[in-house]
Amino acid sequence: MQQVRLSEVEVRVYEAVSVLEIRSQVPYPDLIAEEAGLAEQDVHAPLRQLTEKGLLHREDSPLAGLDFGPRWCARQPA
């Protein structure tokens, strides 16, 4: 399996998403930031980078008319 190099911030953000999912919480950027100990504006770049690396994917709200913004879900390594 190929190793993906992650920065310290990317690791913190990925782990925050995973922890929120384990707790059955919706991983919105504000909760990800809180869990990772970062400011909300500081998680946007790592979220994008982790998505480009195939470790996260973005999902939009499934309920019509109730859009709380995108949520991020972890892809488990195969």
Side-chain angles (χ1 to χ4, degrees), residues 30-47:
D30 60 335
L31 290 176
I32 296 168
E34 183 179 324
E35 185 67 34
L38 300 167
E40 186 174 348
Q41 67 266 17
D42 294 336
V43 301
H44 296 288
L47 287 170

Side-chain angles (χ1 to χ4, degrees), residues 1 13 27 31 42 53 57 61 63 65 69:
M1 181 169 100
V13 169
L31 290 176
D42 294 336
K53 293 177 181 181
H57 68 277
S61 179
L63 302 174

Side-chain angles (χ1 to χ4, degrees), residues 19-51:
V19 166
L20 290 169
E21 288 180 328
I22 289 168
R23 289 189 202 142
S24 297
Q25 292 179 285
V26 181
Y28 291 120
D30 60 335
L31 290 176
I32 296 168
E34 183 179 324
E35 185 67 34
L38 300 167
E40 186 174 348
Q41 67 266 17
D42 294 336
V43 301
H44 296 288
L47 287 170
R48 187 175 51 253
Q49 293 160 344
L50 289 164
T51 300

Side-chain angles (χ1 to χ4, degrees), residues 63-78:
L63 302 174
L66 294 176
D67 187 9
F68 297 108
R71 59 186 175 270
W72 301 87
C73 302
R75 296 185 190 271
Q76 299 303 319

